[in-house]
Amino acid sequence: DAGVIQSPRHEVTEMGQEVTLRCKPISGHNSLFWYRQTMMRGLELLIYFNNNVPIDDSGMPEDRFSAKMPNASFSTLKIQPSEPRDSAVYFCASSPWGPTDTQYFGPGTRLTVL
Amino acid sequence: QQQVKQSPQSLIVQKGGISIINCAYENTAFDYFPWYQQFPGKGPALLIAIRPDVSEKKEGRFTISFNKSAKQFSLHIMDSQPGDSATYFCAASIRGSTLGRLYFGRGTQLTVWP
């Protein structure tokens, strides 16, 4: 079975540009999570969807970040405009039921904002 | 505020030695304590988890020890191998809640020298 799929794997962009990260969760999983990982702050939960509905977006750093889940098999995380401090590895994860279930992480997208 | 505090930040162990990573929490409502393992360039993956109704759980060379009164739990890796070199995250949550979330520690980078 395919795991969580993320694209692109690497993204290099210039400050001010729009960045869109994509995620396909494991089929049948009801919950989807977006995390950001940096050396300084570790693994941070940005937003969590359950049955395609955003449940907890308290970790979204500011209005420049937005996330959508139009259907059960696709989610996007958008940064507009991007800034150098957004440089990080962004992970998407999914779980069969809820946030306290085992979470299955994708390979991550390494974002570099110049 | 960090819900789960993890130490040490980095750990170097010789092959065959014991690796010990410690975590502490404050919220007594937490009832699920998983450990995730992350290899370079990969997303975290569930390694082992424990519920507070037991004081120890062992899976192969990996053991979780849990001290409910002290609100601490730890991961022990016996006979550490170079292949165990990875970043380890402890986490805590309130199981069974769709409104809950998984709180991760900051991570411990383990290096096992051959």
Side-chain angles (χ1 to χ4, degrees), chain A residues 52-73:
Chain A
N52 313 336
V53 176
I55 301 299
D56 181 358
D57 64 355
S58 60
M60 295 288 264
E62 49 198 274
D63 292 345
R64 297 186 298 107
F65 285 68
S66 62
K68 294 182 179 179
M69 192 164 185
N71 57 62
S73 59

Side-chain angles (χ1 to χ4, degrees), chain B residues 82-96:
Chain B
D84 297 330
S85 296
T87 300
Y88 293 82
F89 294 93
C90 62
S93 70
I94 302 171
R95 193 120 168 115

